[in-house]
Amino acid sequence: MVAQPERAPKAMVTSTNEHATNAGIEILKKGGNAVDAAVAVAFALAVVHPEAGNLGGGGYLLVRMADGRAKLIDYGARAPQISKEGIFPTAKDAQVGYKSAAVPGTPAGMAMAHKMFGKLTWKAVLEPARRLAKNGFPASQRMELILRLQVPVMMPFLESAKLFLHGGQTPLKQGEILKQTDLAATIARMQKYGGQEFYEGETANRIAADMTANGGFITAVDLKDYQAIARDPLQTTYRGYPILTTVPSSSGGMAVVEMLNILENFDFPLGMEGSARHRHLLAEAMKRAFRDRLLHAGDPDYKKIPVALLTSKDYAKKIASGIAIEKATPSATLGAAPPDVSGLLGESENTTHFSIVDEEGNIISNTYTLSGFYGSQAIMKGTGVLMGNIFGAFSGGGKKVLPAGQRPASTMSPTIVLDKNQKAWFALGSPGGSTIPNTLVEVLSNIIDFRMSLRDAIEYPRIHHQYLPDRIESEPGALPFEVAEKLKAYGQTLSLRYRSQGDVHAVMVE
């Protein structure tokens, strides 16, 4: 029996946590639109899914309104101004603790989106999250399991240990009620004074003071200077269907579009899904798009990126002509690798995504992150705000450094697909670090090429190739024996992943 997706007559919210999803539904029922619901979900996830949901991280919110207006809100975290070579005393400092944190973008991004597109008051859309933080919620089994792994790295951070480890080294257990009074008060201040309170008000003062007291790099000036950016999304078509996705600073959208453009040069008849030929062509498109990503990823405010070239149909046609149907192209023969890919291939997979469509046909896709599980592990004293470790993670573990003021070159790729009448069709996105673009391309192809239902398209086993290392990684079940043997005969190197690839959250208008 085929598993059926959840259905509703008017609107849909999907996220990784039922409390956050319910926060979005509550706002829709009060007359809010998809953007109002997105803000509610983002703040709620910071409360109930602290391994990745956040106020202390950053990400990308893609909005497409029913009237045709579309914007990408880039609220990627930024490197503090003190950033310079040699700033991390040890590799551990780059991965954990106060020094690993970048200037957060989430409050600014949500405030910008709400100001541009929201209907309800700012106070109203933050209320479900404030209430969850104040009244508490039962810890999930996943929270218990992840916290068990976090004990050794989280223990030294007193505010975090107090909240998540009973003040010592005993993690919360499933069903225990987690209340976050400091976080509730922080959200209440933002309800009263707006999102900028996080950057210039009492919350900013407390973050800056705790950073100073613990050797962190973020200053009051860094916070005050932070700005989210409204960008025009990257637009293309696949088999005639309009697609909107991210532009840099996220390089994920470029990779998605380049892969789709390459694949458009090949026919994928029904029944070809999962075959050796299909997997081979996917892998060959992936390795080429990822090489371009490694060469050109960056913050467009600091680096010239040839987005138009890399995402053009002509460029893809030229690339596709170099793909042999039954022979793998070794990555090394595609050209020299970039001299330094640290921070570009080791992106954390511990991110989260949510998608929303409302009754009017407004649709959003949002991916945001703390980087690693529970980010830096450090909650800023008196705020309840858990900071990400994005600065250290994108500084290659301290081997180099993310330049001052820059946003990291993320692969986060919130994406929206329209029908051929320019109406919202589906929105999707996923965590998964460097696997994100490939995951989304596979789901898109499953829906458009192979006419799968949304749920079947998401659950169909996936593969991954990222140019370096030169191998196809596969989920269990993605490469049956006969398919694997054929791929090896083509010259592909295979490697089995022992866990799932991505965690897609998508909504579709039937």
Side-chain angles (χ1 to χ4, degrees), residues 356-438:
I356 302 170
V357 62
D358 66 25
E359 188 174 6
E360 297 172 1
N362 305 307
I363 192 165
I364 74 96
S365 184
N366 182 92
T367 314
Y368 71 160
T369 190
L370 287 169
S371 195
F373 280 130
Y374 289 86
S376 67
Q377 315 298 310
I379 288 177
M380 300 295 97
K381 189 173 182 180
T383 70
V385 174
L386 178 64
M387 300 294 275
N389 64 333
I390 299 169
F391 178 40
F394 281 92
S395 293
K399 297 172 189 168
K400 59 170 190 150
V401 71
L402 187 65
Q406 289 196 26
R407 289 164 157 82
S410 170
T411 49
M412 289 184 278
S413 316
T415 298
I416 291 170
V417 182
L418 309 180
D419 64 24
K420 291 181 180 179
N421 294 316
Q422 303 290 321
K423 303 291 185 184
W425 184 16
F426 62 97
L428 74 166
S430 178
S434 59
T435 69
I436 292 173
N438 295 343

Side-chain angles (χ1 to χ4, degrees), residues 446-464:
N446 287 343
I447 293 169
I448 294 173
D449 291 316
F450 303 123
R451 303 179 194 173
M452 294 186 195
S453 71
L454 182 61
R455 186 160 185 163
D456 288 345
I458 291 169
E459 293 184 352
Y460 200 79
R462 295 188 275 269
I463 66 166
H464 174 68

Side-chain angles (χ1 to χ4, degrees), residues 274-277 279-280 478-490 494:
S275 65
R277 176 170 172 163
R279 297 301 197 185
H280 169 69
L479 301 179
F481 180 78
E482 294 82 359
V483 172
E485 290 301 300
K486 270 193 177 181
L487 288 171
K488 289 176 187 175
Y490 294 170
L494 309 183

Side-chain angles (χ1 to χ4, degrees), residues 32-33 49 135 145 155 170 177 200 209 260 262 291 301 342 358 368 376 394 408 461 466 469 485 500 505 507:
N33 63 18
H49 188 63
N135 298 336
L145 293 175
M155 270 175 46
T170 305
I177 302 300
E200 297 186 39
L260 290 174
I262 293 169
R291 179 172 183 272
D301 291 338
S342 57
D358 66 25
Y368 71 160
S376 67
F394 281 92
Q466 61 181 41
E485 290 301 300
S500 62
H505 286 83
V507 293

Side-chain angles (χ1 to χ4, degrees), residues 272-283 286 442 460-465 471-488 490 492-497 501:
M272 185 177 167
E273 61 270 26
S275 65
R277 176 170 172 163
H278 176 229
R279 297 301 197 185
H280 169 69
L281 291 173
L282 281 173
M286 288 170 180
E442 289 173 84
Y460 200 79
R462 295 188 275 269
I463 66 166
H464 174 68
H465 199 304
R471 68 186 184 205
I472 296 175
E473 298 178 6
S474 63
E475 287 185 318
L479 301 179
F481 180 78
E482 294 82 359
V483 172
E485 290 301 300
K486 270 193 177 181
L487 288 171
K488 289 176 187 175
Y490 294 170
Q492 300 283 7
T493 300
L494 309 183
S495 175
L496 178 66
R497 288 174 62 90
Q501 178 181 314

Side-chain angles (χ1 to χ4, degrees), residues 318-329:
K318 182 179 178 183
I319 290 176
S321 68
I323 295 176
I325 297 297
E326 295 185 351
K327 185 177 180 182
T329 306

Side-chain angles (χ1 to χ4, degrees), residues 186 189-190 197-198 201-208 223 383 385:
T186 293
R189 284 193 298 274
M190 279 192 272
E197 194 281 333
F198 186 93
E202 180 62 27
T203 302
N205 294 338
R206 293 183 184 188
I207 291 172
L223 290 165
T383 70
V385 174

